[in-house]
Amino acid sequence: MLSLVAAGMAGCGSGRADVGTTLRNVSYDPTREFYQAFNRVFSEYWVGRGKGAVEVEQSHGGSGKQARSVIDGLETDVVTLALAYDIDAIAERAKLLPKDWQRRLPHNSCPYTSTIVFLVRQGNPKGIRGWNDLTRGGVQVITANPKTGGGARWNYLAAWGYALGESGGREAAAEEFVRALYLNVPVLDSGARGATTTFVQRGLGDVLLCWENEAYLARREFATEQLEMVSPAVSIQAEPPVALVDVRAEQRGNRAAAQAYLEYLYTTGGQTLARQHFFRPSVEPGESFAAMKLFTVEELEGGWAAAHQKHFRDNAIFDRIYRPGRSGG
């Protein structure tokens, strides 16, 4: 069941009294349902190997905020965040894992991917079909704050990349397009799940920019006759990575279990669960998702470090274009 509530720390493991190992996974907003299922399956696998019972505690929130919590001392064995930049920050600022962490697991430590789509209301009353429709007058767009949420950064870059392609690479035109889009944003939530709550439960806005898996989950929870998903022809390939937090896992005596936990994401069982929760599996992609032309952040900006400097640091492009209280919707 889709839990559209703020997340704290919750145990999602075996629930048994004889738990011998307690792992902690600090994650981002729209992975709650997936890791609830994954943690149960991994616990069964771990017991089956004769390693003893294991419980997994979860923490969810905006990806950037979660990374800062780990840097500030939140104990965890693994992080499963929305973008590589947030794990890079943990490596660089807190020295809790090596800077080359992304090379340690297949597919640049991304066991699954996603993309950015639109969620609209029954009958799509505003006729939202593509990115250009999000800049029209009278259309309210719901998205999270890219200063705190990883999914929100993917939303922003998906719009930027679309506009850059349409304009033939003219950054001034892309900036003007994204400015017009954010003029239609009445409120910025701190994370992706908060934005979904605003759109679905509070009934605010005409279209939600969101992770593809979040759109599927919302439709399953609130019935397909209430919500419709629109897959734009062009979007970004969102690559949420995972990593062992070496220093903390070793301090907690959990390194072996934590490493196995991440590796299990790449097994047939882990990949099947990812697909069932509407993530795009990295090992066995399949053909069950909408065909879209996807570009990567590497192709767009040369990687997350460059994208952050250009768009999301203080006084960069996002700060220039977004002014709270100036919604055009």
Side-chain angles (χ1 to χ4, degrees), residues 30-242:
T31 62
R32 291 174 175 83
E33 295 75 22
F34 169 61
Y35 278 112
Q36 285 173 5
F38 179 81
N39 293 343
R40 289 191 294 269
V41 171
F42 175 76
S43 180
E44 293 170 1
Y45 160 77
W46 199 240
V47 169
R49 289 188 60 194
K51 301 293 186 178
V54 63
E55 184 176 16
V56 185
E57 296 177 339
Q58 288 293 136
S59 173
H60 296 275
S63 187
K65 185 177 180 180
Q66 292 289 79
R68 286 191 294 275
S69 294
V70 173
I71 291 168
D72 291 342
L74 177 63
E75 294 287 332
T76 190
D77 302 292
V78 300
V79 287
T80 57
L81 296 179
L83 61 154
Y85 180 83
D86 290 330
I87 303 181
D88 284 339
I90 297 171
E92 293 171 6
R93 294 172 55 187
K95 315 297 184 188
L96 296 177
L97 67 163
K99 291 184 178 181
D100 65 349
W101 61 270
Q102 212 161 1
R103 299 179 182 178
R104 300 194 296 184
L105 288 169
H107 300 283
N108 288 321
S109 291
C110 295
Y112 44 79
T113 64
S114 190
T115 188
I116 301 305
V117 300
F118 311 151
L119 196 64
V120 299
R121 306 199 184 281
Q122 179 183 5
N124 194 3
K126 293 296 178 76
I128 306 296
R129 299 298 176 194
W131 290 100
N132 287 336
D133 296 320
L134 306 188
T135 64
R136 287 195 276 110
V139 172
Q140 282 196 334
V141 180
I142 302 300
T143 181
N145 189 341
K147 306 286 275 193
T148 56
R153 293 193 177 198
W154 290 114
N155 292 349
Y156 171 100
L157 289 178
W160 176 273
Y162 164 79
L164 197 65
E166 287 293 294
S167 68
R170 293 189 300 114
E171 291 199 349
E175 183 169 336
E176 190 54 39
F177 177 87
V178 176
R179 185 193 311 276
L181 190 158
Y182 278 88
L183 280 173
N184 282 350
V185 176
V187 61
L188 288 177
D189 290 283
S190 63
R193 183 54 61 87
T196 303
T197 300
T198 293
F199 182 75
V200 175
Q201 292 190 324
R202 294 176 58 198
L204 200 63
D206 302 301
V207 54
L208 172 71
L209 278 179
C210 63
W211 296 89
E212 183 180 51
N213 74 292
E214 185 83 338
Y216 276 114
L217 287 171
R219 293 189 73 219
R220 186 173 69 182
E221 171 72 8
F222 293 96
T224 56
E225 63 268 17
Q226 296 181 27
L227 300 167
E228 297 180 17
M229 187 175 77
V230 176
S231 298
V234 177
S235 193
I236 196 165
Q237 178 167 296
E239 299 166 313
V242 303

Side-chain angles (χ1 to χ4, degrees), residues 262-275:
L262 296 180
E263 291 174 352
Y264 196 79
L265 288 164
Y266 291 88
T267 66
T268 298
Q271 294 287 287
T272 298
L273 278 174
R275 184 185 301 279

